Amino acid sequence: MESERIHKVKKVWVNVCRFLLGGTFIFSGFVKAVDPYGTFYKLQDYLTAFGIIGWFPSALLFFVGILLAAVEFCVGVYMFLGIRKTVSAWLALLLMLFMTPLTLYLAIADPVSDCGCFGDAVVLTNWQTFGKNVVLLLAAVSVFRWHREVVRFISRKTEWVFSMYTIVFVFALGVYCQHNLPVIDFRPYRIGVNIKQAMEVPEGEKLPVYDTRFILEKNGERREFSLDNYPDSTWTFVEARTVLKEKGYEPPIHDFSMQSLETGEDITDSVLSRKGYTFLLVAHRIEEADDSNIDLINEIYDYSVEHGYGFYALTSSEEDAIQLWADRTGAEYPFCLSDDIALKTMIRSNPGMFLLKDGTILHKWSDGNLPDEYVLVDALEKIPLGQPETVSLWQTMGRILLWFVVPLCLVLALDILIVRRREKMKLVPIEGETSMEERTEEEKK
């Protein structure tokens, strides 16, 4: 009786741990797959902090990011459904054995601000992440040791369908979000956000102190300048970065700025306060930007000039790279210098484009989805493109769940109605006949 009670407690404990791990891995893998460029940038941050960024080509890092999302998502689904028990238990344990010491180091040394385990959906401090991983490690050890106690929801005969479809789904989701923008935007530059209002600090809150630094070069010498002592045009721009000097209330958007390349003036407030429509072309590194759709970008600029709309290109690249882009593409639009991290946060496409109205984000497009002449048929005030885009988080989540859950539910229904029913029929003897178990026993004799 005592051993039976202990067995029940152990079974309950293992399955609680299994659901905890499964839910965490599903969420972590999902947010990484939805935002593959965000995972890629975080991996770059890690390798830069460790001083080994030059060892890994960008294509390899991007593949590793999608692979990590796929592994986490698949392990979570397998563990949640109780399929591939041995494989999922091993992978969960190995992931936690790797991540727990790593996050302890991050908590102590603090080379990056956050681990990025949940992308931009949930931002944890490094110590919070380490605490979370300690709990998950204990759960992973428990599931690994007693994985046979995990309750199976799917029969062995159909689990291969679930496992293969999960792999196909998560890779397809990652590739889709790579070529387009994330289907769910967890960042502060979402459609419907007024950038200027998102930069404001509520009355009574302590203001954080930021310092924007500009690296410029002249006669082979590089120096760092602030806005207060920005030099004359004989200096060549290299890069800009914004650093936090003193903590305070941090608004959702805190590092957005636009410095005119032509005049050197900060035009952030004037652009965001501008009434009417404004196009923002965002290319965080112009020398790495895709120029396959440059004719369309130039047409949009001509369209904005024709109708009196604003148009600015934002980049953090050096002046030589900007000039090379202009010479190669025939770009006539004005350029502004901005913080590299802010630009990568704004849009996961290089280049990408925003449409603002009175400082509010109406639309966002990746380079491959820019509006063309068949859409820009009239002034924005007269066509649907000039109206706010309605984006519902719950509708988007519902569509994703339908693509993932509905096919699996159909397989599950077949599993319950056909496969398991046949297995039960084999075990139930027909009158005058012996059951499968009885025939097996007779054969053994």
Side-chain angles (χ1 to χ4, degrees), residues 39-91:
T39 306
F40 169 68
Y41 294 146
K42 181 54 67 174
L43 290 175
Q44 284 186 324
D45 291 343
Y46 275 121
L47 298 180
T48 300
F50 297 147
I52 56 174
I53 184 64
W55 297 6
F56 301 91
S58 296
L60 177 61
L61 276 185
F62 198 91
F63 173 76
V64 169
I66 292 183
L67 181 63
L68 178 60
V71 170
E72 288 186 349
F73 187 79
C74 290
V75 168
V77 172
Y78 296 172
M79 196 160 286
F80 204 87
L81 296 177
I83 61 177
R84 309 295 185 195
K85 297 181 185 180
T86 303
V87 173
S88 59
W90 266 106
L91 288 175

Side-chain angles (χ1 to χ4, degrees), residues 6 27 121 136 141 181 245 247 255 269 272 302-303 380:
I6 292 174
F27 181 68
L136 293 180
V141 170
L181 298 179
K245 294 181 64 176
K247 289 186 177 181
D255 52 2
D269 188 68
L272 297 181
D302 293 338
Y303 169 84
L380 289 173

Side-chain angles (χ1 to χ4, degrees), residues 201-378:
V201 177
E203 186 177 353
E205 294 284 354
K206 179 183 176 182
L207 293 173
V209 179
Y210 291 97
D211 190 17
T212 301
R213 292 290 175 173
F214 303 93
I215 309 300
L216 293 98
E217 184 176 4
K218 180 178 180 181
N219 299 328
E221 177 191 3
R222 289 194 176 189
R223 289 179 58 186
E224 188 175 273
F225 298 91
S226 65
L227 285 173
D228 296 331
N229 65 342
Y230 199 85
D232 55 41
S233 59
T234 60
W235 288 82
T236 302
F237 174 82
V238 177
E239 65 174 332
R241 60 173 180 265
T242 302
V243 296
L244 178 65
K245 294 181 64 176
E246 185 179 341
K247 289 186 177 181
Y249 171 82
E250 190 170 280
I253 298 177
H254 53 268
D255 52 2
F256 177 79
S257 63
M258 297 175 60
Q259 183 202 2
S260 172
L261 180 64
E262 182 179 358
T263 65
E265 297 178 2
D266 188 330
I267 61 173
T268 309
D269 188 68
S270 61
V271 171
L272 297 181
S273 301
R274 186 180 188 275
K275 295 297 182 181
Y277 297 98
T278 302
F279 288 95
L280 296 181
L281 176 67
V282 178
H284 68 95
R285 301 301 296 179
I286 200 74
E287 63 272 20
E288 301 172 4
D290 184 1
D291 61 357
S292 59
N293 291 307
I294 189 59
D295 290 337
L296 184 52
I297 293 175
N298 289 339
E299 288 176 8
I300 296 174
Y301 171 66
D302 293 338
Y303 169 84
S304 67
V305 172
E306 179 184 352
H307 291 86
Y309 307 139
F311 192 109
Y312 301 90
L314 279 61
T315 186
S316 64
S317 295
E318 299 180 16
E319 191 170 344
D320 290 343
I322 297 173
Q323 187 60 50
L324 182 61
W325 170 273
D327 294 339
R328 188 173 74 249
T329 64
E332 298 179 353
Y333 36 80
F335 278 87
C336 295
L337 305 177
S338 297
D339 181 74
D340 184 63
I341 295 177
L343 297 181
K344 289 190 289 187
T345 303
M346 289 177 69
I347 195 164
R348 304 303 201 200
S349 180
N350 189 25
M353 186 172 288
F354 283 73
L355 174 61
L356 309 182
K357 183 179 182 182
D358 302 338
T360 298
I361 302 172
L362 294 190
H363 299 278
K364 295 171 67 171
W365 300 285
S366 66
D367 180 53
N369 293 318
L370 295 172
D372 54 26
E373 67 272 14
Y374 299 105
V375 177
L376 302 173
V377 293
D378 205 338

